[in-house]
């Protein structure tokens, strides 16, 4: 202001000196202008001073929290003491006394603590991985119909066990596969190419008929064009016959009916046709579209008629395929060969497979080193509908996996890595779902605890908690041994993937966990290894092998470590063995075996010292009564008492045994029991009998 004043007056003075003869009224005007300017400046300054500056607000501390965090984790996130959390939760509905440092807090209580602490809430988000580009291999688009050429039909033979499926196929192939099957039943899915005299070729899939191999039969229908349903003329429609019909319907595959064993005297083909009507399989004789051929696999009767019926149906279906481009197919079976490594049997459905091709199936890939047919002969090319064995897999694919050809090994690895990543993501989602379910269970349990302890005095609450902790104490060695004896850990090894799958499917039907828990520790394809023995020793388990070997070194190692190895070649023998092993883990059942029976004819009492002892006068009706055995008193069909005798007399003499027709007097070890005429006394002995598991696998 002073500077402004000086400026004003200096400028005014300059004007005044410049105009020496200025009039007085002009000087007054200059002064008034200067004063008005000064007032304006002062007014602006006052207004600025009246506008007080905004207070500098200190930003609230941001705390990162998440659902289900504990008291300790919340205190650490807030950088406060645990007591701060407890203080914030005082005078709320939560029970402070039951709150431990590891107790999980609900969302509402986390918000309450943050609010009372004057902090800002920030919910943490799970770190999201960068979305990966889908690198999976997929089938090619449908080919131009002009490029398609006719192909051989793929025919699956299905039916009930022992109805002659493999024998029928043997006649068509002029081989003896049936004689090589263990126990006379098919236990693998076989793929065979049969050349007929007419020059036509048919690929046959021989599926097992045993109840345990349902998954194999279902897989057979997924890659097939026609199903030959074999039914024995002397046996009729059975359980697996019905199941095979259902598999064919689910896959929308037409059926050719082969009524086998027509050479037998008791054969009744018409009965079979009538029984099939109930399952919507209507033969041509009854106005339907299902061809029925009466055959005898044993004598070879009508075999060519069956083949011609199949070819005729295939022509009607107009089966065609594209033999060019990348290969597509399906794994029928897979196994590990000692000298050749992982091997698969596959059906080629599109393209032509050659040596050196790069294939992907499931989470495994292969560079084809060798291909061979069902007779073991090497082949250079495999066309659509052709069954072929493939060697060169890095890992063993699963039966039923889709085979796709890719351009290079890096591309194959990329596809496998993507599929493993995708599987891992699915597993993570399932794990998160389980974690969320567990969290809700814990919250519900916590809520119930709050309701349970809410109205209870603190002393009583402490006593209840003390009792609960006592109940949760670790088991004593004897109790732990008893608990462990009710668990059967098993390791399953099979020759092919389908066999292991069948055994696991049977084990999935186990429903007697209340008696003994069945724990599957490990399963796989291939011979029994040292790792299997070590695993069985760790879990005190049993190793079951199906169509696999255990070398002398492995058996000696197992004997040294006390590990049981049970090898089987027939699946139902393996399941029976498993049932016996489960039964051996169960406690014995005590059974009562009657020795003799007496009827009470009179009652009286005798004095011994100062007390009266009731005595029953009896006559032995059956067997004999032995004093050292156990007895029970029966009245009107109900057991009144069980125990021992303190005396047994014949006339006045003590005796150990009273036989049929003899009279005796006896007194019990319980004085309060009153005898009545007509009661029965049963003498029996207890015997421990091994228990049997209630599990019924269905065959």
């Amino acid at each position: 202001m002073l500077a402004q004043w000086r400026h004003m007056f200096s400028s005014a003075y300059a004007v005044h000196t410049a105009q020496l003869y200025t009039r007085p009224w002009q000087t007054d005007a200059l002064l008034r202008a200067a004063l008005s300017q000064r007032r304006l400046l002062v007014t602006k300054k006052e207004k600025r001073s009246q506008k007080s500056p905004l207070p500098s607000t200190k930003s609230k501390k941001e705390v990162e929290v998440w659902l289900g965090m504990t008291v300790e984790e919340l205190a650490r996130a807030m950088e406060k003491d645990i007591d701060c959390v407890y203080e914030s939760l005082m005078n709320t509905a939560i029970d402070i006394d039951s709150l431990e440092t590891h107790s999980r807090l609900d969302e509402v209580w986390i918000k309450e603590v943050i609010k009372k602490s004057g902090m800002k809430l920030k919910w943490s988000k799970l770190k999201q991985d960068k979305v990966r580009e889908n690198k999976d291999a997929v089938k090619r688009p449908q080919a131009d119909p002009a490029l398609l050429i006719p192909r051989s039909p793929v025919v699956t033979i299905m039916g009930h066990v022992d109805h002659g499926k493999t024998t029928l196929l043997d006649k068509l192939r002029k081989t003896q596969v049936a004689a090589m099957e263990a126990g006379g039943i098919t236990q693998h899915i076989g793929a065979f190419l049969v050349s007929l005299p007419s020059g036509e070729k048919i690929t046959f899939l021989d599926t097992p008929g045993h109840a345990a191999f349902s998954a194999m039969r279902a897989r057979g229908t997924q890659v097939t064009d026609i199903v030959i349903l074999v039914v024995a003329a002397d046996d009729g429609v059975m359980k697996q016959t019905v199941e095979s019909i259902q598999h064919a319907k689910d896959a929308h595959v037409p059926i050719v009916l082969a009524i086998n064993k027509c050479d037998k005297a008791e054969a009744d083909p018409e009965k079979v046709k009538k029984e099939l009507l109930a399952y919507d399989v209507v033969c041509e004789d009854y106005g339907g579209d299902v061809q029925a051929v009466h055959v005898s696999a044993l004598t070879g009767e009508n075999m060519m008629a069956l083949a011609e019926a199949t070819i005729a149906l295939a022509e009607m279906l107009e089966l065609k395929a594209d033999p060019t481009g990348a290969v597509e197919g399906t794994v029928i079976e897979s196994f590990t060969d000692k000298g050749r490594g992982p091997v698969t049997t596959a059906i080629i459905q599109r393209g032509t497979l050659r040596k050196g091709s790069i294939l992907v199936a499931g989470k495994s890939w292969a560079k084809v080193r060798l291909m061979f047919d069902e007779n073991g002969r090497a082949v250079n090319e495999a066309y659509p509908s052709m069954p072929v064995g493939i060697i060169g897999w890095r890992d063993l694919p699963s039966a039923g996996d889709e085979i796709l050809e890719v351009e290079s090994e890096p591309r194959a690895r990329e596809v496998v890595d993507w599929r493993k990543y995708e599987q891992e993501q699915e597993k993570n989602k399932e794990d998160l779902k389980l974690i969320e379910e567990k969290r809700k269970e814990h919250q519900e349990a916590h809520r119930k605890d709050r309701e349970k302890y809410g109205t209870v005095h603190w002393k009583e609450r402490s006593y209840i908690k003390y009792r609960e902790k006592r109940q949760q104490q670790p088991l004593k060695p004897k109790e732990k041994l008893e608990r462990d004896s009710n668990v059967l850990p098993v390791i399953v090894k099979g020759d092919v993937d389908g066999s292991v799958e069948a055994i696991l499917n049977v084990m999935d039907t186990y429903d007697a966990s209340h008696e003994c828990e069945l724990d599957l520790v490990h399963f796989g394809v291939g011979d029994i290894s040292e790792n299997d023995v070590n695993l069985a020793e760790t879990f005190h388990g049993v190793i079951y092998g199906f169509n696999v070997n255990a070398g002398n070194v492995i058996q000696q190692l197992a004997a040294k470590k006390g590990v049981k190895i049970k090898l089987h070649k027939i699946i139902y023998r393996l399941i029976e063995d498993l049932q016996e092993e489960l039964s051996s883990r169960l406690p014995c059942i005590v059974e009562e075996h009657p020795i003799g029976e007496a009827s009470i004819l009179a009652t009286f009492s005798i004095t011994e010292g100062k007390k009266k002892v009731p005595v029953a006068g009896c006559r032995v009706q059956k067997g004999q009564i032995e004093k050292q055995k156990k007895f029970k008193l029966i009245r009107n069909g109900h057991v009144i008492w069980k125990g021992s005798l303190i005396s047994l007399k014949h006339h006045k003499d003590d005796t150990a045994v009273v036989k049929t027709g003899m009279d005796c007097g006896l007194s019990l070890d319980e004085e309060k029991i009153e005898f009545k005429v007509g009661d029965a006394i049963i003498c029996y002995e207890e015997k421990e009998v091994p228990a049997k598991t209630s599990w019924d696998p269905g065959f």
Side-chain angles (χ1 to χ4, degrees), residues 145 174 467 475 539 555:
K174 296 182 174 60
R467 280 192 311 175
L475 296 173
F539 287 92
Q555 290 186 355

Side-chain angles (χ1 to χ4, degrees), residues 56-62 118-120:
S56 59
T57 56
K58 188 179 179 182
S59 60
K60 291 183 179 180
K61 182 182 176 182
E62 201 170 53
M119 297 182 183
K120 190 177 178 183

Side-chain angles (χ1 to χ4, degrees), residues 58-323:
K58 188 179 179 182
S59 60
K60 291 183 179 180
K61 182 182 176 182
E62 201 170 53
V63 181
E64 191 172 5
V65 297
W66 59 91
L67 287 173
M69 69 189 310
T70 62
V71 173
E72 188 178 8
E73 288 169 342
L74 181 56
R76 198 183 302 123
M78 293 167 58
E79 296 180 357
K80 297 278 187 181
D81 195 74
I82 289 176
D83 292 337
C84 177
V85 178
Y86 287 124
E87 286 172 11
S88 301
L89 292 172
M90 287 180 70
N91 301 320
T92 60
I94 196 169
D95 183 9
I96 299 290
D97 294 336
S98 65
L99 211 59
E100 305 289 343
T101 55
H102 58 271
S103 300
R104 298 198 176 276
L105 295 170
D106 293 344
E107 181 182 343
V108 63
W109 304 126
I110 293 172
K111 288 180 178 178
E112 185 72 17
V113 172
I114 299 296
K115 182 182 175 184
K116 287 188 176 180
S117 301
M119 297 182 183
K120 190 177 178 183
L121 188 78
K122 179 187 175 185
W123 291 104
S124 71
K125 294 181 180 178
L126 292 173
K127 186 180 178 182
Q128 293 182 350
D129 292 335
K130 187 179 177 181
V131 178
R132 288 178 60 172
E133 185 183 352
N134 190 334
K135 298 289 186 180
D136 203 0
V138 293
K139 285 184 174 182
R140 291 182 287 147
Q142 290 294 328
D144 184 357
L147 299 175
L148 301 180
I149 61 169
R151 64 172 177 85
S152 305
V154 179
V155 179
T156 300
I157 299 179
M158 304 180 76
H160 193 71
V161 66
D162 200 32
H163 275 201
K165 299 182 299 299
T166 306
T167 310
L168 185 146
L169 186 58
D170 283 347
K171 278 293 176 186
L172 289 169
R173 298 179 64 223
K174 296 182 174 60
T175 57
Q176 289 297 317
V177 175
M180 295 185 288
E181 294 285 0
I185 63 170
T186 303
Q187 300 182 109
H188 301 93
I189 186 166
F192 311 99
L193 186 65
V194 176
S195 296
L196 301 177
S198 60
E200 301 282 352
K201 291 183 177 180
I202 304 175
T203 296
F204 282 101
L205 297 183
D206 183 19
T207 60
H210 195 273
F213 297 99
S214 175
M216 281 192 192
R217 288 190 291 275
R219 190 158 54 248
T221 58
Q222 297 302 319
V223 296
T224 198
D225 303 310
I226 300 168
V227 166
I228 292 181
L229 182 66
V230 180
V231 185
D234 60 336
D235 210 2
V237 176
M238 303 296 284
K239 187 177 179 181
Q240 268 66 60
T241 311
V242 177
E243 188 195 72
S244 300
I245 293 168
Q246 193 57 50
H247 284 320
K249 286 183 177 178
D250 291 343
H252 305 288
V253 177
I255 294 173
V256 173
L257 177 62
I259 303 176
N260 195 19
K261 302 186 181 181
C262 289
D263 55 315
K264 286 193 173 183
E266 59 270 25
D268 190 354
E270 293 304 316
K271 178 191 170 188
V272 171
K273 293 176 185 178
K274 288 175 182 176
E275 287 178 350
L276 288 170
L277 291 172
Y279 303 100
D280 201 24
V281 177
V282 185
C283 299
E284 291 176 338
D285 298 353
Y286 292 90
D289 56 357
V290 176
Q291 299 178 78
V293 183
H294 299 187
V295 299
S296 171
L298 198 63
T299 63
E301 181 188 349
N302 276 345
M303 285 291 108
M304 290 314 300
L306 179 62
E308 287 167 6
T310 306
I311 293 294
L313 182 56
E315 287 174 356
M316 290 174 62
L317 295 173
E318 295 184 348
L319 302 171
K320 292 184 178 182
D322 176 15

Side-chain angles (χ1 to χ4, degrees), residues 388-441:
V388 65
I390 302 171
I391 296 173
W393 295 95
R394 296 301 186 271
D395 297 299
L396 193 69
S398 298
D401 282 349
E402 181 183 65
I403 295 174
L404 296 174
E405 185 180 2
V406 293
E407 56 272 15
S408 63
E409 290 186 26
R411 172 62 179 143
R413 291 192 190 95
E414 188 178 56
V415 172
V416 170
D417 288 344
W418 166 258
R419 291 179 178 180
K420 287 179 179 176
Y421 167 77
E422 213 170 22
Q423 185 186 32
E424 187 181 342
Q425 292 301 307
E426 287 297 320
K427 187 177 181 298
N428 289 342
K429 284 180 184 177
E430 291 174 7
D431 289 346
L432 285 172
K433 189 178 177 182
L434 287 172
I435 290 168
E436 185 63 22
E437 288 174 0
K438 286 288 182 186
R439 189 184 69 81
K440 287 180 180 178
E441 285 177 14

Side-chain angles (χ1 to χ4, degrees), residues 22-36:
T22 306
R23 293 181 178 82
W25 61 269
Q26 289 177 333
T27 305
D28 293 342
L30 289 169
L31 286 171
R32 279 197 299 273
L35 286 171
S36 65

Side-chain angles (χ1 to χ4, degrees), residues 486-606:
N486 287 333
V487 179
L488 175 61
V490 295
I491 294 171
V492 176
K493 296 298 288 286
D495 57 342
V496 296
D497 188 68
S499 300
V500 176
E501 179 189 31
I503 294 166
L504 298 187
N505 286 342
V506 174
M507 289 176 65
D508 281 343
T509 66
Y510 184 70
D511 56 359
S513 295
H514 58 285
E515 297 173 349
C516 179
E517 189 177 339
L518 182 61
D519 183 17
L520 179 64
V521 176
H522 173 68
F523 62 89
V525 175
D527 289 342
I528 293 165
S529 64
E530 184 180 344
N531 185 47
D532 298 326
V533 175
N534 293 335
L535 204 58
E537 182 194 19
T538 304
F539 287 92
H540 306 289
V542 180
I543 301 174
Y544 284 94
F546 180 72
N547 273 334
V548 295
N549 297 317
N552 292 332
V553 175
I554 297 298
Q555 290 186 355
Q556 287 170 10
L557 179 67
K560 184 180 176 182
K561 295 190 173 187
V563 173
K564 293 181 185 176
I565 296 179
K566 301 192 173 187
L567 304 176
H568 294 275
K569 291 192 177 296
I570 302 174
I571 191 166
Y572 58 81
R573 298 286 184 214
L574 186 148
I575 301 302
E576 286 172 2
D577 194 322
L578 181 59
Q579 286 178 293
E580 288 173 9
E581 189 65 36
L582 285 163
S583 298
S584 69
R585 301 286 177 121
L586 303 180
C588 291
I589 299 171
V590 178
E591 290 185 353
E592 296 177 358
H593 293 270
I595 296 172
E597 182 180 341
S599 58
I600 298 177
L601 304 177
T603 62
F604 52 92
S605 60
I606 59 172

